[in-house]
Amino acid sequence: MDIFNRNNRSTKGDHFSDLMFGRKEEPEPQKEESEVDYLQLMVNVETLMGLYDQYKPTIQKMNPLITKFLKKD
């Protein structure tokens, strides 16, 4: 290792530099296309909508209480 060459501060075998300065994270190669499972996405959306319909009456009952709390007369 050349101590005067500051452009190449760390190499893969340089444990001292890794300890003192930390390892540089190598950027992960980005995928060109993201693979989305649309069937699973639609199942998740359907589940969320079902839960919303199930808890909608409770949310409507609590709405005046929340509004009164946030109003601060």
Side-chain angles (χ1 to χ4, degrees), residues 47-59:
T47 303
L48 287 173
M49 293 304 293
L51 287 172
Y52 175 73
D53 288 339
Q54 182 180 357
Y55 289 110
K56 188 175 180 179
T58 305
I59 294 170

Side-chain angles (χ1 to χ4, degrees), residues 11-49:
T11 60
K12 290 190 179 210
D14 187 10
H15 299 292
F16 178 75
S17 294
D18 289 342
L19 177 68
M20 294 301 292
F21 305 109
R23 292 184 181 174
K24 291 184 180 178
E25 294 184 21
E26 296 179 6
E28 296 179 12
Q30 296 181 358
K31 295 181 180 178
E32 292 179 16
E33 295 181 17
S34 63
E35 296 179 17
V36 177
D37 186 6
Y38 290 105
L39 183 61
Q40 184 65 35
L41 179 65
M42 294 308 291
V43 168
N44 290 343
V45 168
E46 183 179 352
T47 303
L48 287 173
M49 293 304 293

